[in-house]
Amino acid sequence: AQKITQTQPGMFVQEKEAVTLDCTYDTSDPSYGLFWYKQPSSGEMIFLIYQGSYDQQNATEGRYSLNFQKARKSANLVISASQLGDSAMYFCAMREGEGNQGGKLIFGQGTELSVKP
Amino acid sequence: NAGVTQTPKFRILKIGQSMTLQCTQDMNHNYMYWYRQDPGMGLKLIYYSVGAGITDKGEVPNGYNVSRSTTEDFPLRLELAAPSQTSVYFCASSYTGSTDTQYFGPGTRLTVL
């Protein structure tokens, strides 16, 4: 069973507008972490934001925020005031269990975001 | 502070050849990982290590081997390369396995013909 689902293969957003990238996950482990990474066309993986399963507040990092809805098992990424440089592939990933299990990440298939001028 | 470095950046192998992908990190991270990314897909974990001398299989370990003799280095060995191993390979590291971010290397693009 797929554990991380990103249902939007591609998204378009107008420059300076906000955009939400969807991510749902499946786990029975009470302790887990959720990550978002950005992969521009150059190929590197860039960490954006992290949300722990026990965190009470939604994570924010600059223009990035994570809309964490635990009961619905969703962890959507919100990018405010989109910039042309935000055009990239975005991956949601989950770490199950406590850290001593190795911190293995399970990735979704990604959403390709295109920002239009 | 170079972070995570990988060599080579690109490589073409013939079927049946072997090679080692190198990965080095200078952040004194305990945890290291190897992922592969097939075209249009997310990353899948091949092997990981929680410290020198300790390695374990990930989701897609077949056809690969790893070793971790030092904290800094985590090479990935491909034996008897097959076309199915054509992929982009990423090495990553983190200080711990829990909330710490995994930092990725730039990747190695491997083609097996």
Side-chain angles (χ1 to χ4, degrees), chain A residues 74-89:
Chain A
S74 74
N76 298 340
L77 176 71
V78 180
I79 305 174
S80 63
S82 298
Q83 301 172 356
L84 295 178
D86 294 335
S87 294
M89 185 73 81

Side-chain angles (χ1 to χ4, degrees), chain A residues 1-2 9 13 32 44 48 51 60 70 76 79 81 93 101 105 110-111 114:
Chain A
Q2 194 160 356
V13 65
Y32 53 91
E44 71 266 33
L48 295 178
Q51 179 86 41
T60 60
K70 196 169 182 177
N76 298 340
I79 305 174
Q101 295 178 22
L105 291 180
T111 295
S114 297

Side-chain angles (χ1 to χ4, degrees), chain A residues 26-98:
Chain A
D26 183 27
T27 182
S28 57
D29 199 314
S31 176
Y32 53 91
L34 296 155
F35 299 78
W36 277 92
Y37 282 86
K38 172 184 178 181
Q39 187 177 43
S41 58
S42 52
E44 71 266 33
M45 297 289 289
I46 302 167
F47 166 74
L48 295 178
I49 198 166
Y50 167 80
Q51 179 86 41
S53 59
Y54 296 119
D55 294 342
Q56 295 296 314
Q57 293 192 325
N58 287 344
T60 60
E61 290 284 350
R63 294 187 298 112
Y64 304 107
S65 61
L66 199 152
N67 184 1
F68 182 44
Q69 298 187 43
K70 196 169 182 177
R72 298 178 64 180
K73 294 188 175 179
S74 74
N76 298 340
L77 176 71
V78 180
I79 305 174
S80 63
S82 298
Q83 301 172 356
L84 295 178
D86 294 335
S87 294
M89 185 73 81
Y90 289 81
F91 290 99
C92 180
M94 178 175 67
R95 178 219 14 107
E96 289 183 301
E98 295 296 331

Side-chain angles (χ1 to χ4, degrees), chain B residues 1-111:
Chain B
N1 201 352
V4 180
T5 57
Q6 292 182 238
T7 56
K9 285 187 169 55
F10 304 93
R11 184 73 186 266
I12 298 175
L13 283 181
K14 294 182 179 178
I15 294 172
Q17 287 184 321
S18 300
M19 75 165 293
T20 299
L21 280 66
Q22 301 292 344
C23 175
T24 300
Q25 54 91 9
D26 62 0
M27 297 175 282
N28 202 31
H29 284 171
N30 296 313
Y31 290 70
M32 295 187 75
Y33 314 83
W34 274 106
Y35 294 90
R36 60 176 285 173
Q37 184 180 26
D38 297 331
M41 305 291 287
L43 282 68
K44 292 187 177 179
L45 183 67
I46 306 171
Y47 271 97
Y48 69 99
S49 168
V50 302
I54 307 170
T55 62
D56 205 349
K57 296 177 181 178
E59 186 182 358
V60 288
N62 292 343
Y64 307 95
N65 277 302
V66 293
S67 60
R68 182 103 181 265
S69 57
T70 66
T71 300
E72 296 78 20
D73 300 306
F74 190 39
L76 177 72
R77 178 84 178 160
L78 277 72
E79 305 282 1
L80 299 174
S84 60
Q85 293 177 304
T86 294
S87 191
V88 180
Y89 292 84
F90 288 97
C91 179
S93 73
S94 62
Y95 188 62
T96 71
S98 58
T99 61
D100 279 357
T101 302
Q102 289 187 20
Y103 293 92
F104 283 78
T108 294
R109 186 175 295 274
L110 176 67
T111 302

